[in-house]
Amino acid sequence: MSILDQPSSSSLSGGGVTRRQAWGLVGLLTAAIVAWLVFAVWPQWLNAILISKKAFVSAILNGLTLAGLYFLVASGFTLIFGLMRNINLAHGSLYLLGAYIGYEVTSRTGHWLLGVAAGFTVLAIIGVVMQVFVFRRLEGDDLRQTLVTIGISIVAADLMLAVWAGGTYQIATPEWLDGALTLPVITAVRSNGASVFLTYPLYRVVVLAAAIVIGVGLWLMLNKTRVGMMIRAGVDDRAMLSASGVNVHAVFAIVFGVGAGLAGFAGVVGGSALSVAPGEDVRYLLASLVVVIVGGMGSITGAAIGALLIGLAEQIGLVYFPTYGVVLTFVIMVVTLAVRPQGIMGKAR
Amino acid sequence: MHRRTLLALALFTGLTAPSMALAADDTIKIGLLATFEGPFTVLGEDGERGAMTAVAETNGSVAGKKIEIVKGSSDASPDSAVRAARKLVEQDGVKVLVGPLSGDEGLAVKDYAKTKPDVTFINGTSAAQDTTLRNPAENFFRFSTDGAQWMAGLGTYAFKDKGYKKVATVAEDYSFPYTQVFGFMAEFCKAGGHVPSKSWVPIGNKDFSSVIAAIPEDVDAIYVALGGADAVNFLTQYQQAGGTAPLIGGSITVDQTVLTSKGKLRDVLKGTPSAGPTADTNDAPAWKAFVDAYKKQPGAFPSPSLFAHGYYVNMKATLLALDQVGGDVSDGGKKLREALSKLSFDTPTGKVSLDKNRNAIADIFLTEVTEGSDGNLLNKLVKVVPQVNQTLGIPEDEFMKLGAVNRDNPSCP
């Protein structure tokens, strides 16, 4: 399939530049424009169009951090789907449960990092338990697995409502993560010539950094380790993997554990940046569904790209056209489905 | 299999038949519609506490009949409210329904009420203006005031006493916050103030930092009309972003449902002026008695929220009117509705009566957030604005000329 594709794609763009080079050029140009927008002092007319430089740059930065959060949730979701063909519609509940557990541990011990660790560990264990006791029994029955996950998400939502009631919780971040960073970005120049620099909450930068570290870690795990090799092989052909002597169930359990753990981790991290309340489960499930549909089911890189697109679209929409901002997200999804139904990085099957 | 089904059927009829017979004779079913799910869950639960406080005052019976409360749950979206109302009316067969809680829900339930002329609808706390002002339903009664009424006195106070000349607004994008912003701006603009920027955010939005960054830096204060989790998120992120402009609160922004939240948002809330149908430090004996009665409900806040208050007032009105007609709704509720429209009674927050559109005329309280002696944040009473009507004291034809509330109306940049 891919061998047949190659010549046709290069012949399309004629003799001069290949399609790849053209895309590279477009990418460079966009990067240059964004860099200018971020670092240059804006002329008056641009301020008039885009409200203010502070609003614009903050929206971009917020979009990036939100994308980081979405990526953490969606990467687990996409891994589980890629390997098991199981659309885990209880993934949002895992996020919310992780957040509540993080809140309990943090407020009882006073250590935020312990809360984060607990969110990951407990949810990873729950993920493995779910895989062993629920999904293994329904193996090969994709529809039934999906329906069971809907059931689990509804039951979990009501149980969490019973335990933690409907209140809004805020996970307290430690002192060393509080405060704001002054970024080398000039937002305005005062009349006396002094520059006003952009300040940005430190915690959000940490969220973004965590997402990048985990993204790179996942990529390394998938591409450089033996387990990663098994997972990739399982994504391509799980029957063959099983036939070649690998314990597929163990691989499934690992993936489910990591996926659920990441959701729990994201819950604690996200619950500290924003807040924890009933209904978050559905919100993050929907977000990761859209991210994964746009990025391509089963691909980590796709999840990163999808998260970036959706996060930026949400924040820019919120600032510049709040009423119709939600539409933007779904326009991206619809366009992706129309032009490239398998998602940006997805493989056509 | 077959036998088991039969057995189940027999059991089912056995269980339900007596209760159905009872319902016909000496119980009155009242539907209670509130948000028991979704982002406004806490608000709905407190609304229920308020309604149950009113029921407890009559010892659970009215005119010698036992009151049976049938709960319906919505998630603050209009369609879920209509679905829940439909279930209560068409399946459970209630003839009297108290609710809903939120603005858009009120508009939707009002429209549904028009299709059920023999069922009597009494509002919960929904406070959109047009639920009663434009195109009202004959059988929808609102003994609580609307969002614009709640703002009475605040605009003038912000301009004259606080000295704010330029204020930016941040509010959720639906009918109730439109009404609140309208009520605030009606007075504030008239006094000479300016509102250069209005941000409307989708309900249930979590990340407000971009919105905060887009607020102009040269405003004197920010008017915030957000509820529940949205308010908590906004205030926390405003504190994190190092926001320094003082705040002015919409009625539900500085409500007990938000003031009792944990976290650093408390620091930015202190000193925030607001207005609404209740004040926590009200010294009136009737209010104190109400607070004591309310606190007997499970899970009660240190002080009743305006949702508890609104549901209490509306449920109380329902019970008073039912008592007047001897609990008789067999005539399609005609007598009950007549009694309701003539009803005037003393609530914990002063006298309430209805206007010709069946909307309440009542006292409004101007408040400021302070820290109580026990460390809880409270709304300290600053001033009472007596007997505010729906047109805010402006003659009706003049008021109608201001136009329907929406995102762009009113405007004074």
Side-chain angles (χ1 to χ4, degrees):
Chain A
M1 188 68 187
S2 61
I3 299 167
L4 284 175
D5 268 348
Q6 223 96 51
S8 67
S9 62
S10 58
S11 64
L12 255 176
S13 50
V17 270
T18 63
R19 181 184 262 201
R20 207 189 168 122
Q21 282 169 323
W23 275 116
L25 211 63
V26 170
L28 267 178
L29 211 64
T30 327
I33 293 174
V34 170
W36 181 80
L37 278 174
V38 170
F39 291 106
V41 177
W42 283 16
Q44 200 57 49
W45 58 268
L46 199 54
N47 267 327
I49 300 174
L50 294 177
I51 303 182
S52 74
K53 186 172 172 186
K54 183 179 164 213
F56 177 76
V57 177
S58 302
I60 299 276
L61 286 173
N62 289 330
L64 288 178
T65 49
L66 190 64
L69 207 54
Y70 282 170
F71 171 74
L72 288 177
V73 188
S75 54
F77 188 73
T78 198
L79 264 184
I80 291 171
F81 175 80
L83 187 65
M84 293 178 226
R85 298 287 168 280
N86 174 8
I87 303 174
N88 179 16
L89 293 176
H91 205 69
S93 317
L94 300 176
Y95 170 92
L96 188 57
L97 183 59
Y100 278 131
I101 288 173
Y103 171 80
E104 288 297 337
V105 173
T106 308
S107 58
R108 283 189 194 172
T109 62
H111 293 286
W112 183 73
L113 286 175
L114 265 184
V116 176
F120 181 86
T121 325
V122 174
L123 266 293
I125 293 169
I126 289 178
V128 173
V129 168
M130 264 168 82
Q131 158 63 18
V132 171
F133 288 100
V134 181
F135 298 114
R136 192 168 291 176
R137 290 169 188 277
L138 307 170
E139 204 152 291
D141 200 344
D142 299 345
L143 179 63
R144 215 176 339 152
Q145 285 189 345
T146 305
L147 288 177
V148 164
T149 59
I150 298 182
I152 291 176
S153 74
I154 294 170
V155 172
D158 271 3
L159 284 179
M160 286 188 278
L161 192 60
V163 176
W164 284 283
T168 308
Y169 294 87
Q170 185 86 41
I171 304 173
T173 47
E175 289 287 321
W176 51 274
L177 280 178
D178 251 353
L181 274 182
T182 307
L183 301 180
V185 175
I186 300 171
T187 53
V189 179
R190 289 217 178 86
S191 48
N192 60 7
S195 304
V196 183
F197 288 97
L198 182 75
T199 54
Y200 196 69
L202 172 64
Y203 181 73
R204 293 194 162 235
V205 181
V206 173
V207 172
L208 184 60
I212 293 174
V213 168
I214 284 173
V216 172
L218 273 180
W219 186 86
L220 286 176
M221 183 188 107
L222 282 178
N223 290 293
K224 303 285 172 196
T225 66
R226 200 179 148 73
V227 176
M229 204 164 71
M230 288 182 206
I231 294 174
R232 276 184 300 139
V235 171
D236 283 338
D237 194 329
R238 103 183 123 165
M240 201 46 134
L241 177 70
S242 165
S244 60
V246 172
N247 182 354
V248 183
H249 284 149
V251 179
F252 283 5
I254 291 172
V255 169
F256 222 112
V258 171
L262 279 177
F265 176 84
V268 188
V269 170
S272 319
L274 308 171
S275 65
V276 192
E280 288 294 85
D281 47 350
V282 182
R283 215 177 87 90
Y284 278 90
L285 174 67
L286 193 64
S288 35
L289 265 174
V290 176
V291 164
V292 168
I293 288 170
V294 170
M297 285 283 198
S299 157
I300 292 288
T301 328
I305 294 175
L308 213 54
L309 278 175
I310 300 303
L312 283 172
E314 235 177 64
Q315 288 297 319
I316 289 175
L318 187 61
V319 175
Y320 292 107
F321 31 95
T323 314
Y324 308 104
V326 189
V327 179
L328 196 58
T329 313
F330 289 100
V331 165
I332 293 177
M333 188 173 93
V334 168
V335 169
T336 315
L337 282 177
V339 177
R340 206 179 148 80
Q342 71 271 37
I344 293 172
M345 299 299 285
K347 292 184 195 130
R349 284 176 203 279
Chain B
M1 181 68 192
H2 200 69
R3 195 187 292 171
R4 211 189 283 172
T5 321
L6 271 177
L7 188 69
L9 259 178
L11 257 175
F12 184 73
T13 15
L15 284 171
T16 45
S19 67
M20 278 163 86
L22 269 175
D25 286 345
D26 52 3
T27 63
I28 291 181
K29 268 191 190 177
I30 300 178
L32 177 66
L33 172 57
T35 52
F36 297 119
E37 55 199 291
F40 288 171
T41 311
V42 192
L43 288 50
E45 285 167 354
D46 208 42
E48 185 193 351
R49 277 176 217 126
M52 295 319 281
T53 309
V55 174
E57 274 179 10
T58 58
N59 292 321
S61 64
V62 63
K65 297 188 182 186
K66 203 172 160 299
I67 300 167
E68 187 191 340
I69 299 288
V70 190
K71 286 204 283 178
S73 169
S74 68
D75 63 7
S77 70
D79 60 319
S80 75
V82 170
R83 220 180 308 132
R86 247 177 211 290
K87 187 233 159 210
L88 288 173
V89 171
E90 288 163 29
Q91 266 182 39
D92 299 323
V94 303
K95 292 286 170 223
V96 184
L97 192 153
V98 177
L101 178 130
S102 166
D104 276 358
E105 294 186 314
L107 294 173
V109 169
K110 169 196 79 171
D111 285 335
Y112 172 66
K114 287 183 182 166
T115 67
K116 294 280 166 202
D118 58 342
V119 179
T120 309
F121 292 79
I122 298 100
N123 187 44
T125 51
S126 97
Q129 195 172 57
D130 284 346
T131 310
T132 52
L133 188 65
R134 288 176 183 83
N135 196 9
E138 291 296 323
N139 51 342
F140 192 97
F141 297 80
R142 178 153 73 184
F143 286 89
S144 49
T145 34
D146 80 15
Q149 289 173 281
W150 289 353
M151 290 286 97
L154 185 61
T156 319
Y157 182 73
F159 188 84
K160 294 220 172 99
D161 297 37
K162 288 279 176 181
Y164 302 148
K165 306 284 179 259
K166 252 175 142 182
V167 168
T169 68
V170 178
E172 284 146 340
D173 199 0
Y174 71 100
S175 57
F176 167 66
Y178 300 162
T179 309
Q180 288 244 288
V181 170
F182 177 96
F184 172 74
M185 283 177 69
E187 275 187 24
F188 186 69
C189 295
K190 207 170 159 193
H194 293 284
V195 178
S197 127
K198 286 193 261 183
S199 309
W200 301 109
V201 291
I203 188 168
N205 181 49
K206 289 286 155 198
D207 198 344
F208 286 93
S209 35
S210 298
V211 175
I212 291 168
I215 295 171
E217 272 159 355
D218 59 346
V219 292
D220 300 322
I222 304 170
Y223 172 86
V224 187
L226 304 166
D230 290 2
V232 173
N233 281 316
F234 175 85
L235 295 166
T236 311
Q237 290 165 31
Y238 185 68
Q239 185 264 341
Q240 279 173 356
T244 47
L247 303 177
I248 304 169
S251 305
I252 64 173
T253 312
V254 292
D255 190 60
Q256 280 296 324
T257 50
V258 176
L259 295 181
T260 49
S261 290
K262 300 161 189 85
K264 289 171 193 146
L265 65 116
R266 297 166 57 96
D267 301 342
V268 293
L269 272 174
K270 280 176 207 161
T272 302
S274 179
T278 63
D280 298 331
T281 63
N282 192 344
D283 277 336
W287 173 258
K288 286 189 162 162
F290 170 59
V291 173
D292 288 341
Y294 160 84
K295 278 190 176 166
K296 291 193 187 109
Q297 295 294 323
F301 289 120
S303 180
S305 72
L306 69 82
F307 301 96
H309 170 260
Y311 270 89
Y312 170 83
V313 168
N314 280 303
M315 182 59 89
K316 185 83 192 167
T318 311
L319 297 179
L320 285 172
L322 275 173
D323 192 40
Q324 281 183 19
V325 300
D328 180 18
V329 286
S330 54
D331 58 345
K334 223 178 197 169
K335 272 190 291 177
L336 174 66
R337 286 194 287 279
E338 218 161 277
L340 277 170
S341 46
K342 284 189 200 131
L343 191 64
S344 160
F345 66 110
D346 282 316
T347 71
T349 50
K351 188 181 142 238
V352 169
S353 56
L354 293 188
D355 64 13
K356 67 177 173 52
N357 286 338
R358 295 163 298 283
N359 189 76
I361 301 169
D363 293 351
I364 298 299
F365 299 83
L366 195 66
T367 59
E368 211 163 282
V369 178
T370 45
E371 192 165 0
S373 50
D374 52 354
N376 290 324
L377 291 183
L378 289 171
N379 277 314
K380 189 182 71 178
L381 177 62
V382 175
K383 200 173 95 181
V384 181
V385 187
Q387 298 296 302
V388 179
N389 67 4
Q390 198 174 18
T391 59
L392 309 172
I394 303 169
E396 194 185 335
D397 50 336
E398 210 177 298
F399 188 79
M400 295 305 267
K401 270 189 216 136
L402 295 175
V405 295
N406 60 34
R407 291 184 194 103
D408 305 316
N409 183 41
S411 165
C412 60

